[in-house]
Amino acid sequence: MAIQLLVTDRNLTFLGDPITGWTKLSCDRNFNVPASGSVELPARPEIMSLLQPGNRLVVLRDQGIWCAGPMEEPQDYTWEQDGVGTVKVNFSDDLALIAGRVTYPEPGVPFGRQTPTRDITRRWLYNAELIIRQLVDEHCGPSALAVRRIPRLVLDPVAGVGSEVGVSTRFEPLLDACRTAAATDGLGFRTYQAGDEIRFQVYAPRDLTRTARFSAGLGNLRKVAFTMGAPTATHELVMGGRDPADQAAEGEPPNRRYYVEVENAQAAADWYRVEKFLEQGGDDNADGELTQAGTLALGNDNPQASLATETVDTEDLKAGRDYDLGDKVTVVLPTGLEIADIVQTIRLEATPEEGETVTTVVGSSDRTTTSATVRTVRELGRRLGRLEARG
């Protein structure tokens, strides 16, 4: 096992020596969501001096950076008699810094000087990648107000991915707006540390279903667990436009309401019809905003199928090298069925005594899951039922 822990300040300057004596590490890297990790350390003075607000933790695996970002809880300290004590550090990746911003109607103007007449929803209708990049750049990147910039954050070169989409935002979490822009094309976005820079990247996940395969026969699959549940909505009833009564009270001419229904006909046929109402403020669907909102909501409300796998790296297939977050991979189940879906989470767990374990979550009940996965998991349930009956 080749894992190292280092600490930097917010400007990515390394502090002290690599941390030794750690006893337990876990780190979840997530698709389009900030990472979540923790590590237990001996509470020695030289270590405690590094665990300060604003500092970052860098996790190296096989000499490459696995995860790097702020310590969200740098000191969770416990002491017992006749010991040096233990400190637990909870950390994330630098995407958590971007998550700390909201979208301004006027990104170049301080919040206290936002123009009331421009306090409206911002709309875009162009390439999804460029929308995401602009959102990040103007709210926390090099083009942002100085007080809102994230130190050392730069944007990767344009990848040339994504199609034209319509996106609206107004005082919402920045990453929510980015996820809305990414949803149609399934784009991914992430931060990574390169030298003394935090780089923000938009990318198109790869279809690796032929090359990234997990099975007992290949020796890289240790455990499989799956769940299946009904959809929480099959029909999103989306309403836009402003309330005519509110407009009349403000002396404005009333406009109309707009109604769009977005459906998952297959889910309704397989299960039953479930309706959910969604209000989208002043949107009128001129650029497809209401349809986009309904489609995004359906992604969360689809039939709840998920697959969790415990894998082990081999020379032929290794997490972070041969596949990564958002990539589409194949899991061959013990029954012979194959599931192809995207990698939502990669978890690294390690102790000095037991070494490391890499666990992947392919599909997830709280994120979009392909209908093909739903059908496959349903078929797996039927096969297992028949096998149990035979037993």
Side-chain angles (χ1 to χ4, degrees), residues 231 233-238 260-269 272-276 290-291 293-299 301-303:
T234 60
H235 292 71
E236 306 288 348
L237 312 179
V238 190
V260 172
E261 180 175 341
V262 183
E263 68 173 357
N264 184 337
Q266 187 61 55
Y272 37 77
R273 183 183 179 100
V274 184
E275 298 174 345
K276 181 178 288 187
L290 302 185
T291 301
T295 301
L296 190 64
L298 271 183
D301 296 332
N302 270 337

Side-chain angles (χ1 to χ4, degrees), residues 106 197 390:
E106 297 175 282
E197 293 179 331
R390 291 174 185 170

Side-chain angles (χ1 to χ4, degrees), residues 60-82:
L60 296 177
R61 181 184 183 224
D62 296 334
Q63 300 182 336
I65 296 179
W66 178 262
C67 182
M71 302 181 198
E72 297 185 313
E73 290 184 355
Q75 295 187 18
D76 183 356
Y77 174 74
T78 303
W79 178 83
E80 294 182 4
Q81 188 175 6
D82 299 328

